[in-house]
Amino acid sequence: MLLPRASLLVPSNLCSDTTCHGLRLKPHASDYAALIPWSGIKGLRDTIAAGIAERDGFPANSDDIFLTDGASPGVHMMMQLLLRSEKDGILCPIPQYPLYSASIALHGGTLVPYYLDEATGWGLEISEVKKQLEEAKSKGITVRALVVINPGNPTGQVLAEANQREIVEFCHKEGLVLLADEVYQENIYVDDKKFDSFKKISRSMGYGEEDIALVSFQSVSKGYYGECGKRGGYMEVTGFSRDVKEQIYKVASVNLCSNISGQILASLVMSPPKPGDESFESFTAERDGILSSLARRAKALEKAFNSLEGVTCNRAEGAMYLFPRLHLPAKAIKAAEALNVAPDAYYTHRLLDATGIVAVPGSGFGQVPGTWHVRYTILPQEDKIAAVVSKFTAFHEALIAEFRD
Amino acid sequence: MLLPRASLLVPSNLCSDTTCHGLRLKPHASDYAALIPWSGIKGLRDTIAAGIAERDGFPANSDDIFLTDGASPGVHMMMQLLLRSEKDGILCPIPQYPLYSASIALHGGTLVPYYLDEATGWGLEISEVKKQLEEAKSKGITVRALVVINPGNPTGQVLAEANQREIVEFCHKEGLVLLADEVYQENIYVDDKKFDSFKKISRSMGYGEEDIALVSFQSVSKGYYGECGKRGGYMEVTGFSRDVKEQIYKVASVNLCSNISGQILASLVMSPPKPGDESFESFTAERDGILSSLARRAKALEKAFNSLEGVTCNRAEGAMYLFPRLHLPAKAIKAAEALNVAPDAYYTHRLLDATGIVAVPGSGFGQVPGTWHVRYTILPQEDKIAAVVSKFTAFHEALIAEFRD
């Protein structure tokens, strides 16, 4: 074994270089996974794998972990691998966080939309996914993967376990890669829902490495930590052949490695203090304080939106968003059209002008044609929520009065 | 002006989200450059622009600065923008740091090689670049940009000012984007050469924004700082139209922002302590100590390589590498071929096995067919250089003896 000797003479402080370690000499890039930090520092990946195993109750392998600068670069890497041409498609929820549409566009593939059902709390209906898959196939599109965002962004729903099992079954049967955006896994605000990873669900169904290809994305930007400026995250890649894994290593190697502070934070997120640890009590108090404050803010905003005339808002179950529907007066829609702006964009623009409150028009995420929404985060400081609600309400009432049919 | 009001109610801790700020509402993404950190924090970009202006003696604009997670993502962004299909080509030096070949391959373009001239100290001959450009054109390739790495990686040369002027003139005349990899700008080890940025050279020739499109890449991983794990860097993008700049913002926005520690380090690299500052003396002593040690190591290794039988090595002028040529005995080449391995890879593998020293085969960087090289860094600690030289020499002598014709 040469490594200990080699490490004596390899420059240690400046060697983050794809070519420094003579990779070309070895038949399998993954032989180097333990040595070369392209997928992240081994000890940190070990910690993350142990954290996943503890969370799920099923084993996790540190060689499946790729540390990334936030979740986004992991998504890009997978799109780069999956999309060969515009004839390759990815099933994505609508509404969806636009990272997916942007990444699919950047990598030259086709987004195959499936609509979440607003009437059932942004439910993910397998019949809808199946319909869209068949329609894409009939157009000559090879659908390669299904994106699920759970808890949902921008829609804030949490999938029921039975629904997750249907999704796993569907991907297994259709041979689709399941791309599970699970960055909001800590952000659940209702007692009747909990987070289960798709890995846990699929393993509990008896599906192993051979049965389903599954990628789970995690980030340090969300949860109760919210360290988005650190750009930490990872993806857990399971159910791919060794050949494909080597291609993922290769793509990761082009960018050398993700930033070390982000790598460390990602490992901390997956290994919080445990009972008996010195900081366990203070950690638990702070975490629970943040999450229960977020839950109160979600509830207050949900209630506020539902009390507005012509606004309906599903329950804020998780993530960091509400996605209320605006039933706008016909005159308001006409006013927007006269300016060549989507009605929800017109609404948010007017909101910004009148109150300084920033909300994002639903048209930025996709929505059933003819429906209009806004996404609003639950993140204003708790002591500002009352002021937000009061300003938002006053604005909305004035706008409705202005355009009343 | 709405921003101050808006900022009161926008969640400040978790808003690194492409959709948070309602970008779709505004006609020009760059209007948001001051507010939204996709290209990096405004104050840090200001500092970097001021540092560039001071370095070059010509103005720099913080709106031209895009902070990135190391230099690599900036290179990818530019390749993504420049390469539309395999009919688009990028002129790259051979030998070259393989980020460029990898990025061109990933983005589906064509690498148009130009060979550096080993006989003239890895000189960049415009006649060679011109010849390759014409040849590419004759094959139906649209050449869009020229990559120059100065100081050179893996070749360690520093371009002469006259040579830089020729390159600028050539790009201006041919309408090529000049992609200047200037990450080793602090690493110059000889008295008769100095670093001048391509921006300084082009401005001193009287060429402004309208005359040449120029991108300069910088990183916190090199120089005397060597903070590669922090993934900090920037690119300065000049001479592009507003429309193109907006596309760069758009691509940057998909990945939200680069990590904040790296952003801060990039600004520090471009604003070192100045005379009169409290830390100026200690900073200067440490910087000069590191750089003069690197210069001594470069000189010692250059001398050592040139004293080996059948090895010739150009002067170590800059960067962090030597790229000695191996004139291997015919029997050694046959032994490598029998194993289906490139002779220089065979050499470095044997070197690793025998000594624990890692060197990279020249075939990883490209080289004139039939010539063989290794890249070796000057980064082993100074007190280990003698041991490296002694082990390397003993290995080389034994190998030559084994295969002597």
Side-chain angles (χ1 to χ4, degrees), chain B residues 17 27 78 100 107 121-122 133 238 306 367-368:
Chain B
D17 183 319
M78 292 312 304
Y100 296 95
H107 295 104
W122 300 114
L133 174 67
T238 56
N306 278 316
Q367 51 199 346
V368 171

Side-chain angles (χ1 to χ4, degrees), chain A residues 2 6 10-11 13-14 16-17 19-20 25 76 97-98 221 226 228-229 231 254-255 257 259-260 345 353 356 358 360 375 379, chain B residues 2 6 11 13-14 16-17 19-20 25 76 97-98 221 226 228-229 231 254-255 257 259-260 345 353 356 358 360 375 379:
Chain A
L2 286 164
V10 176
N13 60 329
L14 282 151
S16 71
D17 184 318
T19 51
C20 260
L25 297 179
H76 289 312
Y97 178 57
S221 303
C228 35
R231 311 305 297 134
V254 176
N255 278 329
C257 67
N259 82 88
I260 300 297
D353 281 348
V358 176
V360 189
R375 187 186 78 165
L379 295 170
Chain B
L2 286 164
N13 60 330
L14 282 150
S16 70
D17 183 319
T19 51
C20 260
L25 296 179
H76 289 311
Y97 177 58
S221 304
C228 35
R231 311 306 296 133
V254 177
N255 278 330
C257 67
N259 81 88
I260 301 297
D353 281 349
V358 176
V360 189
R375 188 188 76 165
L379 294 170

Side-chain angles (χ1 to χ4, degrees), chain B residues 369-391:
Chain B
T371 70
W372 308 109
H373 298 78
V374 297
R375 188 188 76 165
Y376 193 68
T377 81
I378 61 169
L379 294 170
Q381 290 159 47
E382 195 167 0
D383 62 5
K384 295 220 166 73
I385 292 284
V388 168
V389 167
S390 144
K391 281 171 191 244

Side-chain angles (χ1 to χ4, degrees), chain A residues 115-127:
Chain A
Y115 286 88
L116 300 175
D117 182 19
E118 187 163 12
T120 58
W122 300 113
L124 196 167
E125 307 291 336
I126 286 294
S127 56

